[in-house]
Amino acid sequence: MKETKYDLEERLLEFAVRVIHVTESMHRSSAGVYVADQLLRSGTSPFGHHGEAEGAESRDDFIHKLKVCYKELREARRWLRLVQRTPLVAKPELLGEILTEAGELVLIFAASIRTAEANRANAQRLTSNAQRPRRKRKAAPDESTGQFPQEKPQ
């Protein structure tokens, strides 16, 4: 049985290639040129932005770059839906697969953003807990007598 590898960079690259093929096949009417330009920008940019996210300088920078990818993929999905409904390509029925992939990529980035934000919140909570001064623990009663030990005067 062949094991499927889910390499996000490869999926984004393949998505960008497919978007390029779609835009190159679109009719060259004024609407076709406009929509092709918008789709080309939004459908290819997540590949580059994902590379930027991998080299992020901080958690906040990483999350921001993931959100840019997410927004661009949502936009590309909308343009693809428009192309599918209008006569801008010869065979709009062939866009089903790329629309499915766009939807899956949107879900992947949404989940990645949620995870990254949760990790950031956990790291902030751990950092703030580590910086708090420790409270003195109250002494436990002596097991044999049940009496609390006397505090030593300072």
Side-chain angles (χ1 to χ4, degrees):
M1 181 177 202
K2 185 179 176 185
E3 188 177 317
T4 305
K5 183 178 177 189
Y6 296 99
D7 181 355
L8 187 54
E9 181 179 347
E10 185 61 33
R11 283 182 75 170
L12 289 169
L13 175 61
E14 184 58 31
F15 181 75
V17 167
R18 292 171 74 186
V19 164
I20 290 169
H21 290 172
V22 168
T23 58
E24 291 296 316
S25 72
M26 291 174 66
H27 301 300
R28 294 295 164 210
S29 64
S30 59
V33 170
Y34 177 80
V35 172
D37 184 51
Q38 296 295 319
L39 176 56
L40 186 61
R41 290 172 194 266
S42 62
T44 58
S45 71
F47 176 68
H49 288 295
H50 179 259
E52 289 285 323
E54 288 177 334
E57 296 175 7
S58 66
R59 279 186 203 268
D60 288 340
D61 189 34
F62 177 72
I63 292 167
H64 172 72
K65 287 174 168 60
L66 287 181
K67 286 181 176 181
V68 171
C69 291
Y70 172 75
K71 287 168 55 175
E72 294 290 326
L73 285 163
R74 286 183 50 149
E75 181 182 346
R77 182 177 61 181
R78 288 190 175 222
W79 287 119
L80 285 165
R81 289 178 60 212
L82 179 64
V83 171
Q84 189 180 42
R85 289 213 185 160
T86 59
L88 295 176
V89 291
K91 296 182 180 179
E93 64 275 5
L94 297 179
L95 296 176
E97 246 183 68
I98 192 171
L99 272 163
T100 299
E101 180 66 359
E104 289 177 7
L105 289 169
V106 165
L107 292 174
I108 289 168
F109 275 90
S112 295
I113 291 165
R114 280 192 306 274
T115 301
E117 287 176 336
N119 289 343
R120 177 179 59 190
N122 288 338
Q124 288 171 342
R125 190 177 69 248
L126 290 174
T127 301
S128 68
N129 285 342
Q131 292 174 350
R132 285 188 190 150
R134 300 252 179 203
R135 293 191 327 210
K136 272 188 172 179
R137 288 187 179 188
K138 293 185 177 178
D142 183 283
E143 289 182 20
S144 61
T145 64
Q147 298 287 323
F148 284 93
Q150 294 294 325
E151 286 192 26
K152 296 178 185 175
Q154 296 181 355

